Every structure is written in structure tokens, then in C-alpha cells.
């Protein structure tokens, strides 16, 4: 799929709505008390279906919020959505450019390349004056069983991240994949606590802080509620200012693998090769839960 179609605008989606499959992937941290399914039922893009990030996951890992689902499970979910392997899928959320990126990455990790993110999400759609629907979508079926084809290179696990940290430490950061952390900076430094009870804040050795909010902006002053992805040049500038070498391999991380995907998506749109990008699925939750993990806190 042409890289120019990874990010689509609300007018483009409006004009192509009948030729794509649309998923609402809205998600918020538990303490925010948002019921995204209820919000979906109240207003969604016509024909969209609800992708539950907390439901379509690896159910065997109860201590990790939303790990990548097994291929068979993902395929069954796609069958229920009526999504076939060859379909162009457009994902969106109510934050602008956020949780939808996690689902974008999930599709890519499952070998489904025809997937795009709606720039600005539902707020951008409604700001254009486009209509929304209410209620449950019409039931969908697949004529052919969806077959996920996992791409291992896009996913990083705990063993791999620990090995990578060893390479970084042994070379004073010169070798190994750069670890870029999307969490708010105060959680990265250890100054602020994590949201999950009992989970230490701080960061991995040699990790670099780039909070996910730094890759989006309210570009249109007439619609300040619409958060869109920054331009490729601005994204590059943001990462380079934080000390990230865009010519070296990068693994993105966050609290539980959601906002790490926003960095992943931003870097992809900024021209970084997908061969140089990996996402640590378990992210900080998995890392900090392990008593053997080395945690750094900045003074």
C-alpha cells in the first residue's frame, strides 16, 4: 500500500466511505471513566464498527492490559466485522490520533497492510459537518475466513528488550535499538507515579523520553478540539531534539503499548523505514512488573 495513504483526511474518507471498512478504536485510561462503547453507540462514522482494544487482545495474559491477540483470535474478530484480507481498513478514535494507531500497528503486525488512520479522528469528521450514526451497526459476515499472517519484526517482547538494553549499556548507547518512551515525562523520570497501583515509575536504561502528545497539534485554530498529526518535518524535529537518531533502529514503548503506537505511526509517516521500527508490546507495565528489571529514576 502506498505510504501516502497511511494517514487520510476526513474529506477523503467521506468521499471513499463505501470502498473501505471503518473501525472506531477509541480507548481511554481507566481513571478517566469514559465508556467508549456507549460513546460509539451515541455517535459514530456511518458504517463503522467498534474495535474494543481491551477485548481484542491476548486473554491469557491477565496482568497485561491489552497485549497483541493471537492470530486466530484476531481473525475471528475480523470475520465478525466482515473484514477480508484484501479490504482497506480505516481506523479512528475520539482523541484525534491516539488509540487508533495501536489498532493500525495491530493490523500491520498481523500482515494486513491496507490500513489507514483518520487524521483528527471523529472530532475532525464532525468539524467538517459530516453526519454520524447512532446505535449498533448492521451485522456483518465474511465470505472467506480471515487469515492473519503475523510479521514478527514489528513486535518486541521482554526477552528482546532486556537483551537490547544489554547492548546499549555495553556500548554506552552506541549500539542496539534506541528505546523511545511515549509516557508523560514526569512518569519517565520517576517524579510522578504510574496509574497502575504498585507499579514503579521511572524508565529503562538509555531510554529516551518523547511524550506522545508531542507528535500531534491543533493545526486549525477554528477547530482547536481537533488534534492532528504534525507534519513529517515537525515530527523529525521533535525526535531529533530529544536526541533520537532517525537513521538508527528504534523500539517504541509506553505504559501498556497504546501510545507507543502513536510514536510508531508518527515515525512511519515521517519517513522512517518500517524495517527500523519495533513496538514493545508489553511496554512499561510488563517491564516494571518483573522484579529483575533495572529501573532508572532521574534526580
Amino acid at each position: 500500500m502506498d505510504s501516502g495513504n497511511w494517514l487520510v483526511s476526513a474529506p477523503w474518507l467521506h468521499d471513499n466511505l463505501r470502498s473501505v471498512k471503518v473501525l472506531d478504536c477509541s480507548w481511554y485510561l481507566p481513571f478517566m471513566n469514559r465508556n467508549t462503547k456507549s460513546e460509539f453507540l451515541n455517535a459514530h462514522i456511518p458504517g463503522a464498527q467498534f474495535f474494543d482494544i481491551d477485548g481484542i487482545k491476548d486473554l491469557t495474559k491477565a496482568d497485561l492490559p491489552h497485549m497483541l491477540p493471537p492470530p486466530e483470535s484476531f481473525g475471528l474478530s475480523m470475520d465478525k466485522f466482515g473484514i477480508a484480507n484484501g479490504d482497506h481498513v480505516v481506523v479512528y478514535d475520539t482523541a484525534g490520533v491516539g488509540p487508533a494507531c495501536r489498532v493500525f500497528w495491530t493490523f500491520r503486525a498481523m500482515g494486513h497492510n491496507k490500513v489507514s488512520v483518520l487524521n483528527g479522528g471523529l472530532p475532525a469528521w464532525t468539524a467538517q459537518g459530516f453526519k454520524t450514526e447512532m446505535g449498533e451497526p448492521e451485522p456483518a459476515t465474511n465470505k472467506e475466513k480471515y487469515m492473519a499472517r503475523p510479521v514478527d519484526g514489528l513486535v518486541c517482547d521482554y526477552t528482546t528488550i532486556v537483551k537490547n538494553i544489554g547492548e546499549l549499556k555495553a556500548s554506552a548507547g552506541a549500539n542496539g535499538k534506541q528505546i523511545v518512551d511515549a509516557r508523560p515525562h514526569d512518569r519517565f523520570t520517576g517524579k510522578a507515579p504510574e496509574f497502575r497501583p504498585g507499579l514503579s515509575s521511572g524508565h529503562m536504561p538509555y531510554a529516551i523520553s518523547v511524550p506522545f502528545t508531542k507528535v500531534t497539534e491543533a493545526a486549525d485554530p477554528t477547530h482547536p478540539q481537533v488534534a492532528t498529526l504534525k507534519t513529517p518535518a515537525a515530527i523529525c524535529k521533535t525526535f531529533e531534539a530529544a536526541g533520537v537518531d532517525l537513521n538508527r533502529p528504534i523500539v517504541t514503548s509506553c505504559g501498556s503499548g497504546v501510545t507507543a503506537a502513536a510514536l510508531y505511526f508518527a515515525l512511519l509517516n515521517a519517513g522512517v523505514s518500517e524495517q527500523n521500527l519495533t513496538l514493545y508490546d508489553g511496554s512499561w507495565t510488563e517491564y516494571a512488573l518483573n522484579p529483575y528489571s533495572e529501573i532508572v529514576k532521574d534526580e
Side-chain angles (χ1 to χ4, degrees), residues 21-25 48-51 78 81 83 89-93 100 103 107:
K21 299 293 178 68
V22 184
L23 296 176
D24 183 324
C25 312
Q49 299 188 78
F50 184 70
F51 187 107
M78 295 308 102
F81 289 146
I83 292 176
V89 180
V90 177
V91 296
Y92 76 89
D93 56 54
V103 180
F107 271 97

Side-chain angles (χ1 to χ4, degrees), residues 113-132:
N113 291 334
K114 294 177 69 175
V115 57
S116 307
V117 174
L118 173 60
N119 200 11
L122 187 63
W125 178 269
T126 56
Q128 291 285 333
F130 298 142
K131 294 181 180 180
T132 59

Side-chain angles (χ1 to χ4, degrees), residues 51-60 67-81 83 106-107 110 142 145-150:
F51 187 107
D52 183 4
I53 289 178
D54 284 330
I56 302 175
K57 63 178 183 179
D58 188 342
L59 298 174
T60 66
M67 295 286 280
L68 199 65
E72 298 79 8
S73 174
F74 182 80
L76 288 173
S77 295
M78 295 308 102
D79 288 339
K80 292 177 181 178
F81 289 146
I83 292 176
T106 298
F107 271 97
M110 292 294 171
N142 254 354
K145 181 177 176 60
Y146 187 96
M147 296 296 294
R149 299 176 178 88

Side-chain angles (χ1 to χ4, degrees), residues 203-218:
H203 61 85
M204 302 173 211
Y206 285 94
I208 301 170
S209 175
V210 181
F212 76 97
T213 51
K214 290 186 177 292
V215 300
T216 61
E217 61 183 352

Side-chain angles (χ1 to χ4, degrees), residues 49-272:
Q49 299 188 78
F50 184 70
F51 187 107
D52 183 4
I53 289 178
D54 284 330
I56 302 175
K57 63 178 183 179
D58 188 342
L59 298 174
T60 66
K61 298 179 179 179
D63 57 338
L64 301 174
H66 22 250
M67 295 286 280
L68 199 65
E72 298 79 8
S73 174
F74 182 80
L76 288 173
S77 295
M78 295 308 102
D79 288 339
K80 292 177 181 178
F81 289 146
I83 292 176
N85 287 87
D87 285 338
H88 183 179
V89 180
V90 177
V91 296
Y92 76 89
D93 56 54
T94 52
V97 183
C101 296
R102 168 72 189 192
V103 180
F104 171 91
W105 172 80
T106 298
F107 271 97
R108 301 287 292 189
M110 292 294 171
H112 193 123
N113 291 334
K114 294 177 69 175
V115 57
S116 307
V117 174
L118 173 60
N119 200 11
L122 187 63
W125 178 269
T126 56
Q128 291 285 333
F130 298 142
K131 294 181 180 180
T132 59
E133 287 183 339
M134 297 179 66
E136 291 282 1
E138 291 292 327
T141 56
N142 254 354
K143 293 181 179 179
E144 295 182 7
K145 181 177 176 60
Y146 187 96
M147 296 296 294
R149 299 176 178 88
V151 181
D152 293 335
L154 302 187
V155 187
C156 178
D157 60 17
Y158 179 81
T159 301
T160 304
I161 201 72
V162 170
K163 181 181 179 181
N164 185 70
I165 289 171
E167 293 177 12
L168 290 167
K169 290 176 66 177
S171 63
N175 298 322
K177 294 182 178 180
Q178 300 164 103
I179 301 170
V180 184
D181 194 318
R183 290 174 301 150
H185 189 67
D186 282 352
R187 285 165 58 194
F188 176 88
T189 62
K191 181 178 180 181
E194 289 293 317
F195 298 120
R196 295 162 184 82
L199 191 69
S200 174
S201 57
H203 61 85
M204 302 173 211
Y206 285 94
I208 301 170
S209 175
V210 181
F212 76 97
T213 51
K214 290 186 177 292
V215 300
T216 61
E217 61 183 352
D220 185 353
T222 63
H223 298 291
Q225 78 280 16
V226 181
T228 55
L229 194 69
K230 286 183 176 179
T231 65
I235 292 168
C236 289
K237 186 176 180 179
T238 295
F239 281 90
E240 288 169 347
V244 179
D245 184 347
L246 297 178
N247 295 312
R248 286 180 55 195
I250 296 167
V251 54
T252 62
S253 181
C254 62
S256 59
V258 176
T259 57
L263 297 190
Y264 187 101
F265 185 70
L267 288 163
L268 197 60
N269 278 271
V272 176

